[in-house]
Each structure stands twice: as C-alpha cells, then as structure tokens.
Amino acid sequence: MAFGARMFKTGLAVTLALYLAMLFDFKSPVVAAIAAIFAMQPSIYRSWRYFLDQLQTSTLGAILAMLGGYFLSNQPISVGLVCVLVIMICMKLNMGETIGLTLVTVISVMEASGQWDFALNRFILTIIGIISAFLINILVFPPKPKEQYITRIHIVFSKMSLLLRTAISHEMKDSVYRAEKKELESAIKSLSDKYNLFEEEQKKLKRAKYSQARQLVVYKQLLQSLRKGYEVLDAVENHYFQAERSEEIDEQFDHNLERLMKYHEHILWKFEDKLKPNEDEAEIMAENNEAFLEQVMCGPGANSGGLRLSVVAASMYDYGYQLDRLNRVADHISRVADDKEQDEALFSWLRK
C-alpha cells in the first residue's frame, strides 16, 4: 500500500485534535480524534461543505441526544431509537455523509443522561475534531485534484496503450495481462471519482466561471476516451479470440489498434503543445476509421461466425469516434489560447 498525503494529513489532524482537547482540558479527547478522522475529505470544497453540514447535523444530534437522555435515560433501547431518528433526519436533509460522526456525537452525549454540561463538552470536542481536520486539509499539502487528474491521465493512457498494443498479438502472459487490466480498471474508476469532484464543485457553485465549465468538458472527454479504450480491451477479450480469423485479419485489427493508439498519443501531445500543427491527421484518421469498419462488416464480419469480429470492430470504431471528439476539443482550446496570445502549455491551463 502506497503512503499518501491523505494518510499523513489524517494522522496530523488526529494529533492536532488531541492536543487542542488537552490544551483546553477537555475530558475524553478521543471524541475529537474520532471526529478528525471522519472529517478528512479529498478536496477543499468537500472539506468546507462537510464542515457546514456536520455542524448542522451534529448540533441537531446533540440536542436530540440531550432530550433523549433527559426523558428516556441512557438505556440501550433509548440510544438506538434516537440514532434511528437522527439517521432519518440526516437522510431527509440529504446529508448522508455526516451520519457516522453525528451518531458518534449522539451516543457520547446520551451517555450523560441529560446533563447539559457533559453534553456540551462532548459536542465541543466533536467540533474541535472537525475544525482540526479542516485546517490540516487546507494548510498541509492542500488537495490539487486537477493536477493529479492530468498526471493520472498520462499514467492510465500508458498502461492502456501497452495492453491494447499487445491485445491482438497476445504477447503478454495471461496472468500479467489480467493483473494489468484489473489495475487499469481501478485507475479509470479513480479518475471517474476525481471527475465527479470537479463536477460536484461546479454544480454547487452558483457562479462558476466559463473557463471552469470549459475545463470540465475537457476532463470529461479525456476520461470518456480512456473508457472507450478499455471497452475495446473487453471486446477483444470476450469476442475476438472466440471468432474464426486468419493471420491477415489479425494484422488488420492489430494495425488499426496501433493507429488508434498513435492518434490518442498525438492528441495528448497537443494538450501539452508539443506537436506541430497537422490539420490533415484528424481527417485521415476519420476516413481510416470508417474504412476499417466497412472492411470488417463487408468482409470477415459478413461471413459465418464473423459477428464477434464485427462487435470488436464496432468497439474500435466507437473508440476512434471519441478520439475524434477529443481532438476537436484540443484544437478548440489551442485556437482560444492563440487568440489570447498565451504562450503557456495547454495542460498548464487545465491545471488552473
């Protein structure tokens, strides 16, 4: 398991929460530590959103726990009933992420059986833990999901390129191929989670900048292209080797995959402003993509048992279509950058 910034920051947040609790001479500082663990979030926006939501639900939970402890005592059945009520309220308020820490607050407060000073102590400890996590998250190695996203795009593409370029030739050992494909699937899932962070942030902000909306379109298409590439891997694995084929067909499919990967690579270079202008490449690639699908559908795909080859060819065609859309996005951004006389690389703009 790799040691990451979030692990380190969680440990710092727990340490800070415990020190603050001891500084103010609070009893049971472990409550603050638990709150700090729950409150550590993957982005600054989510940290702020979690802080506001948790403040509301923890306050509500503490009040209900005090009332429950006062009128129902702290018997297990009473604690359970109040927890159920708090869960229902959190879900009704669309604050499901805060349920865990809110229940910790409820249970710790109900332990006091209605003693307001003890309940207040536990509530303040919870707030100390949340604030500690929030401060550590924004001050120590603050999350930079955009830079991480762009970096991961290159890493995921390199892994996918290796698998696609050896998929038809079947040069890679089966055990290695399965392990690499599983890692690729996990990496694409991680990219999807990061994209969801960007999308969530933009939807929540009432006045999102036009440039941010444009970035979101780019991020989505970069991710979509990788997804389609992964679908080609699935199609090859599930259909290609079960179909009747010749060496000529293998060479045809392998050549088309190599062409697609080269095109994808060139598009990424465009984003980094490393490639010379080549307006003909996209047009040639689109024509080759159409021609390949027609050749398969009218040739081996039309023969008996050739339906599986048609499925693989259609998946490759769809991948090429998504690459063409990504290329148009790259060209559009390049023109905008030229119009504004910006000399910096396009990926630098995407990281802002």
Side-chain angles (χ1 to χ4, degrees):
M1 180 182 293
F3 180 79
R6 193 172 178 184
M7 297 180 188
F8 177 67
K9 291 195 295 184
T10 300
L12 281 181
V14 169
T15 303
L16 178 61
L18 290 172
Y19 270 124
L20 288 176
M22 291 187 291
L23 179 65
F24 293 105
D25 198 26
F26 282 106
K27 297 180 180 179
S28 302
V30 68
V31 175
I34 294 173
I37 294 172
F38 275 100
M40 186 58 63
Q41 297 294 311
S43 70
I44 293 177
Y45 170 77
R46 279 200 176 181
S47 292
W48 175 245
R49 187 72 260 172
Y50 185 87
F51 173 75
L52 295 179
D53 291 347
Q54 192 65 65
L55 188 62
Q56 297 176 57
T57 56
S58 291
T59 302
L60 179 62
I63 293 173
L64 291 176
M66 267 194 61
L67 294 175
Y70 183 80
F71 291 106
L72 302 176
S73 76
N74 59 355
Q75 294 299 313
I77 184 65
S78 302
V79 176
L81 288 173
V82 174
C83 286
V84 170
L85 178 61
V86 168
I87 293 173
M88 291 173 61
I89 293 174
C90 288
M91 296 300 294
K92 188 69 175 178
L93 296 174
N94 293 323
M95 297 180 181
E97 291 184 357
T98 65
I99 289 176
L101 184 53
T102 303
L103 292 182
V104 171
T105 304
V106 168
I107 295 171
S108 60
V109 169
M110 285 199 73
E111 183 184 351
S113 299
Q115 298 177 25
W116 70 269
D117 55 338
F118 187 86
L120 181 62
N121 177 283
R122 295 301 172 88
F123 175 72
I124 293 176
L125 282 171
T126 301
I127 300 302
I128 287 175
I130 298 172
I131 293 176
S132 298
F134 178 72
L135 290 176
I136 292 296
N137 205 25
I138 64 175
L139 295 176
V140 180
F141 303 127
K144 296 179 179 179
K146 293 181 180 179
E147 291 188 7
Q148 295 170 0
Y149 188 84
I150 297 302
T151 301
R152 291 296 299 172
I153 285 290
H154 276 296
I155 296 174
V156 174
F157 170 75
S158 297
K159 188 178 292 293
M160 187 181 75
S161 175
L162 175 63
L163 291 174
L164 282 173
R165 282 179 163 129
T166 58
I168 301 298
S169 59
H170 205 53
E171 297 170 309
M172 193 177 292
K173 292 182 179 179
D174 289 340
S175 58
V176 176
Y177 177 86
R178 286 193 297 269
E180 290 289 328
K181 187 169 180 283
K182 188 174 181 180
E183 287 183 13
L184 176 62
E185 182 182 14
S186 177
I188 293 177
K189 175 64 169 59
S190 177
L191 276 175
S192 298
D193 293 339
K194 289 188 181 297
Y195 172 78
N196 290 335
L197 286 178
F198 307 143
E199 190 175 40
E200 175 191 56
E201 183 173 345
Q202 182 169 320
K203 287 182 178 179
K204 296 296 182 180
L205 292 176
K206 294 182 179 179
R207 296 183 179 179
K209 296 180 181 178
Y210 173 71
S211 60
Q212 292 175 330
R214 213 165 27 143
Q215 286 175 0
L216 199 62
V217 172
V218 178
Y219 296 148
K220 184 176 183 179
Q221 194 56 43
L222 284 166
L223 174 61
Q224 183 67 3
S225 300
L226 291 173
R227 284 173 173 167
K228 289 301 178 180
Y230 183 82
E231 288 178 10
V232 173
L233 282 173
D234 269 343
V236 171
E237 182 178 352
N238 295 328
H239 298 285
Y240 188 78
F241 295 107
Q242 290 79 6
E244 296 182 6
R245 63 196 195 281
S246 62
E247 291 185 6
E248 182 181 353
I249 293 175
D250 285 346
E251 185 178 348
Q252 182 185 14
F253 274 79
D254 194 40
H255 179 67
N256 191 61
L257 270 180
E258 180 64 33
R259 187 166 52 217
L260 288 170
M261 297 314 301
K262 184 178 179 181
Y263 187 44
H264 198 162
E265 190 173 45
H266 282 189
I267 295 172
L268 294 182
W269 287 353
K270 279 187 179 182
F271 280 109
E272 294 184 283
D273 203 21
K274 292 181 177 179
L275 207 63
K276 295 180 180 179
N278 187 357
E279 298 178 358
D280 296 332
E281 184 184 28
E283 184 177 348
I284 295 173
M285 185 63 210
E287 292 176 356
N288 289 335
N289 205 31
E290 293 277 355
F292 170 75
L293 183 61
E294 290 179 4
Q295 289 171 7
V296 174
M297 297 294 288
C298 298
N303 299 332
S304 177
L307 183 59
R308 289 180 180 271
L309 293 177
S310 299
V311 172
V312 178
S315 180
M316 289 184 183
Y317 175 83
D318 197 18
Y319 177 38
Y321 173 74
Q322 293 300 329
L323 290 180
D324 190 50
R325 293 184 63 182
L326 181 62
N327 181 67
R328 289 199 296 270
V329 170
D331 287 341
H332 174 72
I333 293 175
S334 181
R335 286 194 297 271
V336 171
D338 290 340
D339 292 341
K340 293 184 178 181
E341 297 182 352
Q342 296 175 344
D343 296 328
E344 58 187 347
L346 297 178
F347 263 28
S348 297
W349 171 77
L350 289 175
R351 290 188 178 105
K352 289 183 178 179

